[in-house]
Amino acid sequence: MHTDLNIESIRNDFPILNEEVNGKSLVYFDNAATTQKPRAVLDAISGYYEHSNANIHRGIHHLAEKATASFEASRRRIQEFLNAREHEEIIFTYGTTDGINLVAQAYGRAFLKEGDEIIISTMEHHSNIVPWQMLCEEKSCVLKVVPISDAGELLMDEYEKMLSERTKFVSIVHVSNALGTINPVAEIIEKAHKVGAKVLIDGAQASSHITVDVQALDCDFYAFSLHKLYGPTGMGVLYGKRELLDAMPPYRGGGEMIKEVTFEKTTYNELPYKFEAGTPNIADVVAAKNALDYVAGLGKDAIGTYEHDLLLYGTEAMQSIEGLRIVGTAKEKIGVISFLMEGIHHQDIGVLLDQQGIAIRTGHHCTQPMMRRFGIPGTSRASFAVYNTTEEIDRLVQGLHKVKKMLG
Ligand code: PLP
C-alpha cells in the first residue's frame, strides 16, 4: 500500500507499540476508544512536571508565569487547529462529555424552555444523549431523534421534516464511533440555522481524522477530546461562538471563574475563564499542543488518506471471512470496522483475540439505542490509527479465522 508517510518511523514514536501481550507483539486496534501517545506527548507531560510545574494565572513567580504561558500557548494552538476566530472561544474541559454537559446545562438552562425541541440522532454516543435527556426532564423540552438507514447513514429527509420553528437546538455527532459514518455536518448546520436553531457538533471521533474548520462549518459549538487525537486523557476542548459563550451563565462555580466575590454578590470572569472553574489539568493541556504539532507534522490529509486505505484493505480482507458481517457500511467512513460473526458472541471474539495480542473493543460502544435499532446487543470493533499496518490487519484476519475454528 503506497503512502508518503514513514509508518515504521511513526511506530517508533509510540513506545507502547513495543509491548508484548500474552507473549505476542501488541496489535492495537482500539483507537476509537483512545489512541496511543507519541513520545513527544509523553515527554511534554514529564517535562512540564520536571521544569515548569506551578499553578497558573494567579502567581507572579517565574514558574507560575512559565506554566501560564505554556497553558495559554496550547489554547492558541487549539484555536489555530479549529480555525476559531478568537482564542477566547476555546474552553478547556475534561473531554467531549464534559463539553456537551457544559452546553446542555449552561446554554440549555438559560435559553431553552418548555416545549422547545432538541434534535439528536440514533447514532449518538450516550454522551450526546443523556445530557439532553437530563435537560429535557428539567425544562420540559422535547427530544427528537433522527433515524438512520440500514447502512448507518442519517436519513436527511427525516431530519428536514423534523425541523420547525420549535427546533431550538441540534446536537449531532460528526463521526460515529460505532459505525465510522461521517455525517454531512455542514448541511445539518445550515438547515438548522434556517429555522433559527443552534448546533453542537460532537467531534470526539472526527478531530483525529478530518480537518475541522469551525468558521467554515459555522457550528455554534464543537466538542472533542484530546485523548482520541494522540493527546493525554482527561482533557478536551469546547469551542463556542463568542456571542453565545458571552451570553451563557457559568456552568461551575469556584476559583478562577470569578472577577469579584462578596457574600452578597459575585461577578464573573471574562471568557474563557468564566467556564474554567478550579485548577485545570495543566500538564495535559500543555502536552495537548505537542499532540497537535505531532499530527500537523505528519499532515492531517496524509493521515486521513492512509487510514482510508487501511479501511479499504481491512474491509475487503474481513469480508472474505465467511459468516462475518460488517455493521456500518456508509459511503463516507473513517477507519472503523464494526462486525458480527455468525453464532459467536462479540465478547468471546474480544477475549480470544486478546489471547493473540490483538486489542479490539466489544460491546455496545456507548450507543445502546443504536444497537437496539440494529436489533443486536453489540459488535466487535477494530478502529485504525496512523501507526497501524496492513500486516496487523492480516494478523487480525488470521486471528478471526482461529476464533471461527474454535467457536464457529
Ligand atoms: N462522543 C463520541 C462519538 C465518542 O466516541 C466518545 C468517546 O468514545 C465520546 C463522545 C465521549 O468522549 P469522552 O469519553 O472523551 O468524553
Short mmCIF file of all heavy atoms in Angstrom, two decimals, residues 193-258:
data_model
loop_
_atom_site.label_atom_id
_atom_site.label_comp_id
_atom_site.label_asym_id
_atom_site.label_seq_id
_atom_site.Cartn_x
_atom_site.Cartn_y
_atom_site.Cartn_z
N HIS A 193 -29.79 26.22 11.09
CA HIS A 193 -29.74 27.68 11.21
C HIS A 193 -30.91 28.34 10.49
O HIS A 193 -31.38 29.41 10.91
CB HIS A 193 -28.40 28.20 10.66
CG HIS A 193 -27.26 27.99 11.62
ND1 HIS A 193 -25.95 28.17 11.27
CD2 HIS A 193 -27.25 27.63 12.94
CE1 HIS A 193 -25.17 27.92 12.33
NE2 HIS A 193 -25.94 27.59 13.33
N LYS A 194 -31.39 27.71 9.44
CA LYS A 194 -32.52 28.30 8.69
C LYS A 194 -33.77 28.41 9.55
O LYS A 194 -34.60 29.27 9.31
CB LYS A 194 -32.82 27.43 7.46
CG LYS A 194 -31.87 27.75 6.33
CD LYS A 194 -32.43 27.38 4.98
CE LYS A 194 -31.42 27.78 3.91
NZ LYS A 194 -31.08 26.70 3.01
N VAL A 195 -33.91 27.49 10.55
CA VAL A 195 -35.07 27.62 11.44
C VAL A 195 -34.68 28.30 12.76
O VAL A 195 -35.45 28.32 13.71
CB VAL A 195 -35.75 26.25 11.71
CG1 VAL A 195 -36.30 25.65 10.44
CG2 VAL A 195 -34.80 25.28 12.42
N GLY A 196 -33.46 28.81 12.81
CA GLY A 196 -33.04 29.59 13.99
C GLY A 196 -32.50 28.75 15.14
O GLY A 196 -32.34 29.24 16.25
N ALA A 197 -32.20 27.45 14.88
CA ALA A 197 -31.69 26.59 15.95
C ALA A 197 -30.17 26.71 16.06
O ALA A 197 -29.50 27.00 15.07
CB ALA A 197 -32.07 25.14 15.68
N LYS A 198 -29.66 26.50 17.26
CA LYS A 198 -28.22 26.45 17.47
C LYS A 198 -27.76 25.00 17.32
O LYS A 198 -28.54 24.07 17.55
CB LYS A 198 -27.85 26.94 18.87
CG LYS A 198 -28.33 28.35 19.16
CD LYS A 198 -27.63 29.37 18.30
CE LYS A 198 -28.11 30.78 18.61
NZ LYS A 198 -28.30 31.58 17.39
N VAL A 199 -26.46 24.83 16.96
CA VAL A 199 -25.97 23.47 16.68
C VAL A 199 -24.66 23.18 17.42
O VAL A 199 -23.72 23.99 17.38
CB VAL A 199 -25.71 23.29 15.17
CG1 VAL A 199 -25.31 21.85 14.86
CG2 VAL A 199 -26.92 23.68 14.35
N LEU A 200 -24.64 22.02 18.07
CA LEU A 200 -23.39 21.50 18.65
C LEU A 200 -22.98 20.28 17.83
O LEU A 200 -23.81 19.44 17.50
CB LEU A 200 -23.60 21.09 20.11
CG LEU A 200 -22.37 20.53 20.83
CD1 LEU A 200 -22.41 20.91 22.32
CD2 LEU A 200 -22.21 19.01 20.73
N ILE A 201 -21.70 20.19 17.52
CA ILE A 201 -21.17 19.01 16.84
C ILE A 201 -20.27 18.26 17.82
O ILE A 201 -19.36 18.84 18.41
CB ILE A 201 -20.39 19.39 15.56
CG1 ILE A 201 -21.29 20.15 14.56
CG2 ILE A 201 -19.78 18.14 14.90
CD1 ILE A 201 -22.47 19.37 14.02
N ASP A 202 -20.57 16.97 17.99
CA ASP A 202 -19.74 16.09 18.81
C ASP A 202 -18.61 15.60 17.91
O ASP A 202 -18.80 14.74 17.06
CB ASP A 202 -20.61 14.93 19.33
CG ASP A 202 -19.78 13.81 19.97
OD1 ASP A 202 -18.53 13.87 19.90
OD2 ASP A 202 -20.38 12.88 20.52
N GLY A 203 -17.43 16.17 18.14
CA GLY A 203 -16.29 15.88 17.26
C GLY A 203 -15.32 14.86 17.83
O GLY A 203 -14.18 14.78 17.37
N ALA A 204 -15.77 14.07 18.81
CA ALA A 204 -14.86 13.14 19.51
C ALA A 204 -14.08 12.26 18.53
O ALA A 204 -12.88 12.07 18.68
CB ALA A 204 -15.64 12.27 20.49
N GLN A 205 -14.77 11.74 17.53
CA GLN A 205 -14.10 10.81 16.61
C GLN A 205 -13.55 11.51 15.37
O GLN A 205 -12.74 10.94 14.66
CB GLN A 205 -15.08 9.72 16.15
CG GLN A 205 -15.54 8.81 17.26
CD GLN A 205 -14.40 7.97 17.84
OE1 GLN A 205 -13.41 7.70 17.18
NE2 GLN A 205 -14.56 7.55 19.07
N ALA A 206 -14.03 12.72 15.11
CA ALA A 206 -13.67 13.37 13.85
C ALA A 206 -12.32 14.05 13.91
O ALA A 206 -11.56 14.05 12.93
CB ALA A 206 -14.74 14.39 13.47
N SER A 207 -12.00 14.61 15.07
CA SER A 207 -10.88 15.54 15.14
C SER A 207 -9.54 14.91 14.78
O SER A 207 -8.62 15.60 14.34
CB SER A 207 -10.81 16.18 16.52
OG SER A 207 -10.88 15.18 17.50
N SER A 208 -9.41 13.59 14.93
CA SER A 208 -8.12 12.98 14.60
C SER A 208 -8.04 12.55 13.14
O SER A 208 -6.97 12.20 12.65
CB SER A 208 -7.87 11.76 15.50
OG SER A 208 -8.95 10.88 15.40
N HIS A 209 -9.15 12.56 12.42
CA HIS A 209 -9.14 12.04 11.05
C HIS A 209 -9.48 13.10 10.00
O HIS A 209 -9.15 12.94 8.84
CB HIS A 209 -10.16 10.90 10.92
CG HIS A 209 -10.01 9.84 11.98
ND1 HIS A 209 -9.07 8.84 11.91
CD2 HIS A 209 -10.66 9.65 13.15
CE1 HIS A 209 -9.16 8.07 12.98
NE2 HIS A 209 -10.11 8.54 13.75
N ILE A 210 -10.20 14.13 10.41
CA ILE A 210 -10.75 15.10 9.46
C ILE A 210 -10.30 16.50 9.86
O ILE A 210 -10.25 16.82 11.04
CB ILE A 210 -12.30 15.04 9.51
CG1 ILE A 210 -12.79 13.68 9.04
CG2 ILE A 210 -12.94 16.15 8.71
CD1 ILE A 210 -14.27 13.47 9.24
N THR A 211 -10.00 17.34 8.87
CA THR A 211 -9.67 18.73 9.19
C THR A 211 -10.95 19.46 9.55
O THR A 211 -11.92 19.44 8.78
CB THR A 211 -8.98 19.39 7.98
OG1 THR A 211 -7.79 18.65 7.72
CG2 THR A 211 -8.63 20.84 8.26
N VAL A 212 -10.95 20.07 10.72
CA VAL A 212 -12.16 20.75 11.20
C VAL A 212 -11.93 22.26 11.14
O VAL A 212 -10.96 22.76 11.70
CB VAL A 212 -12.49 20.32 12.65
CG1 VAL A 212 -13.71 21.08 13.17
CG2 VAL A 212 -12.72 18.82 12.73
N ASP A 213 -12.84 22.96 10.49
CA ASP A 213 -12.76 24.42 10.40
C ASP A 213 -14.10 24.95 10.92
O ASP A 213 -15.11 24.93 10.21
CB ASP A 213 -12.53 24.82 8.94
CG ASP A 213 -12.44 26.34 8.76
OD1 ASP A 213 -13.01 27.07 9.60
OD2 ASP A 213 -11.81 26.78 7.79
N VAL A 214 -14.09 25.41 12.17
CA VAL A 214 -15.37 25.77 12.79
C VAL A 214 -16.00 27.00 12.14
O VAL A 214 -17.23 27.14 12.15
CB VAL A 214 -15.24 25.99 14.33
CG1 VAL A 214 -14.98 24.67 15.03
CG2 VAL A 214 -14.18 27.02 14.66
N GLN A 215 -15.16 27.87 11.54
CA GLN A 215 -15.75 29.04 10.87
C GLN A 215 -16.42 28.62 9.56
O GLN A 215 -17.50 29.09 9.22
CB GLN A 215 -14.68 30.08 10.60
CG GLN A 215 -14.19 30.75 11.86
CD GLN A 215 -13.32 31.95 11.55
OE1 GLN A 215 -13.79 32.93 11.00
NE2 GLN A 215 -12.04 31.87 11.91
N ALA A 216 -15.76 27.71 8.83
CA ALA A 216 -16.35 27.26 7.56
C ALA A 216 -17.62 26.46 7.85
O ALA A 216 -18.63 26.60 7.14
CB ALA A 216 -15.35 26.41 6.79
N LEU A 217 -17.59 25.63 8.90
CA LEU A 217 -18.78 24.84 9.24
C LEU A 217 -19.90 25.73 9.77
O LEU A 217 -21.07 25.42 9.63
CB LEU A 217 -18.44 23.81 10.34
CG LEU A 217 -17.69 22.54 9.94
CD1 LEU A 217 -17.41 21.69 11.19
CD2 LEU A 217 -18.51 21.74 8.94
N ASP A 218 -19.49 26.81 10.44
CA ASP A 218 -20.43 27.73 11.08
C ASP A 218 -21.21 27.06 12.22
O ASP A 218 -22.35 27.43 12.50
CB ASP A 218 -21.40 28.32 10.02
CG ASP A 218 -22.09 29.57 10.57
OD1 ASP A 218 -21.51 30.25 11.43
OD2 ASP A 218 -23.25 29.83 10.17
N CYS A 219 -20.60 26.05 12.85
CA CYS A 219 -21.27 25.43 14.01
C CYS A 219 -21.24 26.41 15.18
O CYS A 219 -20.35 27.27 15.25
CB CYS A 219 -20.58 24.13 14.40
SG CYS A 219 -18.83 24.29 14.68
N ASP A 220 -22.18 26.26 16.10
CA ASP A 220 -22.21 27.15 17.26
C ASP A 220 -21.31 26.63 18.36
O ASP A 220 -20.71 27.41 19.10
CB ASP A 220 -23.66 27.28 17.74
CG ASP A 220 -24.54 27.88 16.64
OD1 ASP A 220 -24.35 29.07 16.34
OD2 ASP A 220 -25.34 27.15 16.05
N PHE A 221 -21.23 25.30 18.46
CA PHE A 221 -20.36 24.66 19.45
C PHE A 221 -19.72 23.44 18.79
O PHE A 221 -20.34 22.77 17.96
CB PHE A 221 -21.16 24.19 20.67
CG PHE A 221 -21.89 25.28 21.39
CD1 PHE A 221 -23.25 25.51 21.15
CD2 PHE A 221 -21.24 26.09 22.31
CE1 PHE A 221 -23.95 26.52 21.81
CE2 PHE A 221 -21.92 27.10 22.98
CZ PHE A 221 -23.28 27.31 22.73
N TYR A 222 -18.48 23.13 19.22
CA TYR A 222 -17.81 21.92 18.73
C TYR A 222 -17.03 21.35 19.91
O TYR A 222 -16.23 22.05 20.54
CB TYR A 222 -16.85 22.27 17.57
CG TYR A 222 -16.41 21.05 16.78
CD1 TYR A 222 -17.06 20.70 15.60
CD2 TYR A 222 -15.35 20.25 17.21
CE1 TYR A 222 -16.70 19.57 14.87
CE2 TYR A 222 -14.97 19.12 16.49
CZ TYR A 222 -15.65 18.80 15.32
OH TYR A 222 -15.28 17.67 14.60
N ALA A 223 -17.28 20.08 20.23
CA ALA A 223 -16.62 19.46 21.40
C ALA A 223 -15.77 18.29 20.96
O ALA A 223 -16.18 17.50 20.11
CB ALA A 223 -17.68 18.99 22.40
N PHE A 224 -14.57 18.17 21.53
CA PHE A 224 -13.76 16.97 21.27
C PHE A 224 -12.82 16.68 22.44
O PHE A 224 -12.69 17.49 23.35
CB PHE A 224 -13.02 17.04 19.93
CG PHE A 224 -11.89 18.04 19.86
CD1 PHE A 224 -10.57 17.63 19.98
CD2 PHE A 224 -12.14 19.38 19.65
CE1 PHE A 224 -9.52 18.53 19.89
CE2 PHE A 224 -11.10 20.31 19.56
CZ PHE A 224 -9.79 19.88 19.68
N SER A 225 -12.21 15.48 22.38
CA SER A 225 -11.30 15.02 23.44
C SER A 225 -9.91 14.83 22.86
O SER A 225 -9.77 14.23 21.80
CB SER A 225 -11.76 13.65 23.98
OG SER A 225 -13.09 13.68 24.40
N LEU A 226 -8.90 15.27 23.56
CA LEU A 226 -7.54 15.13 23.04
C LEU A 226 -7.03 13.69 23.09
O LEU A 226 -6.15 13.31 22.33
CB LEU A 226 -6.60 16.06 23.81
CG LEU A 226 -6.33 17.41 23.16
CD1 LEU A 226 -5.58 17.24 21.84
CD2 LEU A 226 -7.58 18.22 22.90
N HIS A 227 -7.60 12.86 23.98
CA HIS A 227 -7.04 11.51 24.12
C HIS A 227 -7.33 10.63 22.91
O HIS A 227 -6.72 9.58 22.75
CB HIS A 227 -7.53 10.84 25.41
CG HIS A 227 -8.97 10.45 25.41
ND1 HIS A 227 -9.38 9.21 25.02
CD2 HIS A 227 -10.08 11.13 25.74
CE1 HIS A 227 -10.71 9.14 25.13
NE2 HIS A 227 -11.15 10.30 25.56
N LYS A 228 -8.24 11.08 22.04
CA LYS A 228 -8.50 10.32 20.82
C LYS A 228 -7.67 10.88 19.67
O LYS A 228 -7.82 10.49 18.52
CB LYS A 228 -9.98 10.38 20.47
CG LYS A 228 -10.86 9.66 21.52
CD LYS A 228 -12.31 9.71 21.14
CE LYS A 228 -13.24 9.33 22.26
NZ LYS A 228 -13.28 7.90 22.56
N LEU A 229 -6.84 11.83 19.99
CA LEU A 229 -6.05 12.56 18.99
C LEU A 229 -4.57 12.52 19.39
O LEU A 229 -3.87 13.52 19.32
CB LEU A 229 -6.59 14.00 18.94
CG LEU A 229 -6.11 15.03 17.99
CD1 LEU A 229 -6.17 14.56 16.55
CD2 LEU A 229 -6.89 16.32 18.14
N TYR A 230 -4.14 11.39 19.90
CA TYR A 230 -2.74 11.18 20.29
C TYR A 230 -2.33 12.03 21.49
O TYR A 230 -1.15 12.16 21.80
CB TYR A 230 -1.79 11.39 19.10
CG TYR A 230 -2.21 10.61 17.88
CD1 TYR A 230 -2.84 11.23 16.79
CD2 TYR A 230 -2.02 9.24 17.82
CE1 TYR A 230 -3.25 10.50 15.68
CE2 TYR A 230 -2.43 8.50 16.71
CZ TYR A 230 -3.05 9.14 15.66
OH TYR A 230 -3.46 8.41 14.57
N GLY A 231 -3.31 12.67 22.15
CA GLY A 231 -3.01 13.52 23.30
C GLY A 231 -3.37 12.83 24.60
O GLY A 231 -3.77 11.67 24.61
N PRO A 232 -3.23 13.57 25.70
CA PRO A 232 -3.45 12.98 27.03
C PRO A 232 -4.93 12.74 27.35
O PRO A 232 -5.80 13.39 26.76
CB PRO A 232 -2.90 14.04 27.98
CG PRO A 232 -2.35 15.13 27.15
CD PRO A 232 -2.81 14.97 25.76
N THR A 233 -5.17 11.85 28.30
CA THR A 233 -6.54 11.66 28.79
C THR A 233 -6.89 12.81 29.74
O THR A 233 -6.01 13.53 30.22
CB THR A 233 -6.68 10.34 29.57
OG1 THR A 233 -5.67 10.29 30.58
CG2 THR A 233 -6.55 9.13 28.68
N GLY A 234 -8.18 12.94 29.98
CA GLY A 234 -8.62 13.90 31.00
C GLY A 234 -8.60 15.34 30.55
O GLY A 234 -8.65 16.26 31.36
N MET A 235 -8.49 15.58 29.25
CA MET A 235 -8.64 16.96 28.78
C MET A 235 -9.31 17.00 27.42
O MET A 235 -9.17 16.10 26.60
CB MET A 235 -7.32 17.71 28.76
CG MET A 235 -6.43 17.39 27.62
SD MET A 235 -5.76 18.80 26.72
CE MET A 235 -7.04 19.96 26.55
N GLY A 236 -10.10 18.02 27.23
CA GLY A 236 -10.80 18.18 25.97
C GLY A 236 -11.05 19.65 25.72
O GLY A 236 -10.58 20.52 26.47
N VAL A 237 -11.78 19.91 24.66
CA VAL A 237 -11.99 21.29 24.22
C VAL A 237 -13.45 21.48 23.87
O VAL A 237 -14.07 20.63 23.25
CB VAL A 237 -11.13 21.57 22.96
CG1 VAL A 237 -11.51 22.90 22.33
CG2 VAL A 237 -9.65 21.54 23.31
N LEU A 238 -13.97 22.62 24.31
CA LEU A 238 -15.27 23.06 23.79
C LEU A 238 -15.03 24.37 23.06
O LEU A 238 -14.55 25.34 23.65
CB LEU A 238 -16.28 23.29 24.92
CG LEU A 238 -17.59 23.91 24.40
CD1 LEU A 238 -18.39 22.88 23.60
CD2 LEU A 238 -18.42 24.48 25.53
N TYR A 239 -15.34 24.38 21.76
CA TYR A 239 -15.36 25.63 21.02
C TYR A 239 -16.78 26.17 21.08
O TYR A 239 -17.75 25.40 20.94
CB TYR A 239 -14.96 25.40 19.56
CG TYR A 239 -15.48 26.50 18.65
CD1 TYR A 239 -14.79 27.71 18.53
CD2 TYR A 239 -16.68 26.35 17.95
CE1 TYR A 239 -15.30 28.73 17.73
CE2 TYR A 239 -17.18 27.36 17.15
CZ TYR A 239 -16.50 28.55 17.05
OH TYR A 239 -17.00 29.56 16.27
N GLY A 240 -16.93 27.45 21.27
CA GLY A 240 -18.26 28.08 21.19
C GLY A 240 -18.10 29.45 20.57
O GLY A 240 -17.08 30.12 20.76
N LYS A 241 -19.12 29.87 19.83
CA LYS A 241 -19.09 31.24 19.28
C LYS A 241 -19.12 32.24 20.43
O LYS A 241 -19.90 32.07 21.38
CB LYS A 241 -20.30 31.46 18.38
CG LYS A 241 -20.18 30.81 17.02
CD LYS A 241 -21.38 31.15 16.16
CE LYS A 241 -21.29 30.47 14.81
NZ LYS A 241 -22.58 30.42 14.11
N ARG A 242 -18.30 33.27 20.32
CA ARG A 242 -18.14 34.20 21.44
C ARG A 242 -19.47 34.77 21.93
O ARG A 242 -19.73 34.81 23.13
CB ARG A 242 -17.21 35.35 21.04
CG ARG A 242 -17.08 36.37 22.15
CD ARG A 242 -16.37 37.61 21.72
NE ARG A 242 -14.98 37.59 22.07
CZ ARG A 242 -14.51 37.88 23.29
NH1 ARG A 242 -15.32 38.20 24.27
NH2 ARG A 242 -13.22 37.86 23.54
N GLU A 243 -20.34 35.17 20.98
CA GLU A 243 -21.58 35.83 21.45
C GLU A 243 -22.44 34.87 22.27
O GLU A 243 -23.13 35.30 23.19
CB GLU A 243 -22.37 36.43 20.27
CG GLU A 243 -22.86 35.46 19.21
CD GLU A 243 -21.86 35.25 18.06
OE1 GLU A 243 -20.64 35.43 18.28
OE2 GLU A 243 -22.31 34.88 16.96
N LEU A 244 -22.36 33.58 21.97
CA LEU A 244 -23.14 32.61 22.74
C LEU A 244 -22.49 32.37 24.10
O LEU A 244 -23.16 32.36 25.13
CB LEU A 244 -23.26 31.28 21.97
CG LEU A 244 -24.04 31.38 20.66
CD1 LEU A 244 -23.98 30.06 19.91
CD2 LEU A 244 -25.48 31.77 20.93
N LEU A 245 -21.17 32.17 24.08
CA LEU A 245 -20.47 31.94 25.36
C LEU A 245 -20.62 33.14 26.28
O LEU A 245 -20.79 33.00 27.49
CB LEU A 245 -18.98 31.66 25.10
CG LEU A 245 -18.64 30.37 24.35
CD1 LEU A 245 -17.15 30.32 24.03
CD2 LEU A 245 -19.04 29.13 25.16
N ASP A 246 -20.56 34.34 25.69
CA ASP A 246 -20.73 35.56 26.49
C ASP A 246 -22.10 35.60 27.15
O ASP A 246 -22.23 36.01 28.30
CB ASP A 246 -20.56 36.80 25.59
CG ASP A 246 -19.14 37.34 25.62
OD1 ASP A 246 -18.44 37.10 26.64
OD2 ASP A 246 -18.72 37.98 24.64
N ALA A 247 -23.09 35.17 26.40
CA ALA A 247 -24.47 35.26 26.90
C ALA A 247 -24.80 34.16 27.92
O ALA A 247 -25.74 34.29 28.69
CB ALA A 247 -25.45 35.18 25.73
N MET A 248 -24.01 33.08 27.90
CA MET A 248 -24.31 31.94 28.78
C MET A 248 -23.83 32.18 30.20
O MET A 248 -22.75 32.72 30.40
CB MET A 248 -23.61 30.66 28.24
CG MET A 248 -24.29 30.08 27.02
SD MET A 248 -23.17 29.08 25.99
CE MET A 248 -22.60 27.82 27.08
N PRO A 249 -24.63 31.76 31.19
CA PRO A 249 -24.13 31.84 32.57
C PRO A 249 -23.05 30.80 32.79
O PRO A 249 -22.96 29.84 32.03
CB PRO A 249 -25.37 31.52 33.41
CG PRO A 249 -26.24 30.70 32.51
CD PRO A 249 -25.96 31.15 31.10
N PRO A 250 -22.22 30.96 33.84
CA PRO A 250 -21.20 29.93 34.09
C PRO A 250 -21.85 28.59 34.44
O PRO A 250 -23.01 28.53 34.83
CB PRO A 250 -20.42 30.47 35.27
CG PRO A 250 -21.08 31.70 35.71
CD PRO A 250 -22.19 32.05 34.79
N TYR A 251 -21.06 27.54 34.29
CA TYR A 251 -21.54 26.18 34.49
C TYR A 251 -21.16 25.71 35.89
O TYR A 251 -21.96 25.14 36.61
CB TYR A 251 -20.90 25.33 33.40
CG TYR A 251 -21.04 23.83 33.49
CD1 TYR A 251 -22.24 23.22 33.79
CD2 TYR A 251 -19.93 23.02 33.23
CE1 TYR A 251 -22.35 21.84 33.82
CE2 TYR A 251 -20.03 21.64 33.25
CZ TYR A 251 -21.24 21.06 33.56
OH TYR A 251 -21.33 19.70 33.59
N ARG A 252 -19.91 25.97 36.28
CA ARG A 252 -19.43 25.59 37.61
C ARG A 252 -18.91 26.83 38.31
O ARG A 252 -18.30 27.69 37.67
CB ARG A 252 -18.26 24.60 37.50
CG ARG A 252 -18.62 23.28 36.89
CD ARG A 252 -17.47 22.31 37.11
NE ARG A 252 -17.79 21.03 36.51
CZ ARG A 252 -17.33 20.62 35.34
NH1 ARG A 252 -16.50 21.38 34.65
NH2 ARG A 252 -17.68 19.45 34.85
N GLY A 253 -19.11 26.86 39.62
CA GLY A 253 -18.61 27.99 40.39
C GLY A 253 -17.35 27.62 41.14
O GLY A 253 -17.14 26.47 41.49
N GLY A 254 -16.48 28.61 41.37
CA GLY A 254 -15.27 28.34 42.14
C GLY A 254 -14.20 29.35 41.80
O GLY A 254 -14.50 30.43 41.26
N GLY A 255 -12.95 28.99 42.10
CA GLY A 255 -11.83 29.87 41.80
C GLY A 255 -11.67 30.04 40.30
O GLY A 255 -12.18 29.24 39.52
N GLU A 256 -10.99 31.11 39.90
CA GLU A 256 -10.62 31.35 38.50
C GLU A 256 -11.75 31.90 37.64
O GLU A 256 -11.52 32.71 36.76
CB GLU A 256 -10.06 30.05 37.86
CG GLU A 256 -9.35 30.22 36.54
CD GLU A 256 -8.14 31.13 36.63
OE1 GLU A 256 -7.46 31.14 37.67
OE2 GLU A 256 -7.88 31.85 35.65
N MET A 257 -13.00 31.47 37.92
CA MET A 257 -14.09 31.90 37.05
C MET A 257 -14.74 33.20 37.54
O MET A 257 -15.73 33.64 36.97
CB MET A 257 -15.14 30.78 36.86
CG MET A 257 -15.69 30.10 38.07
SD MET A 257 -16.87 31.08 39.02
CE MET A 257 -18.29 31.06 37.95
N ILE A 258 -14.16 33.80 38.57
CA ILE A 258 -14.79 34.99 39.15
C ILE A 258 -13.97 36.25 38.88
O ILE A 258 -12.77 36.19 38.60
CB ILE A 258 -14.93 34.83 40.69
CG1 ILE A 258 -13.56 34.52 41.34
CG2 ILE A 258 -15.94 33.77 41.02
CD1 ILE A 258 -12.76 35.65 41.77
#
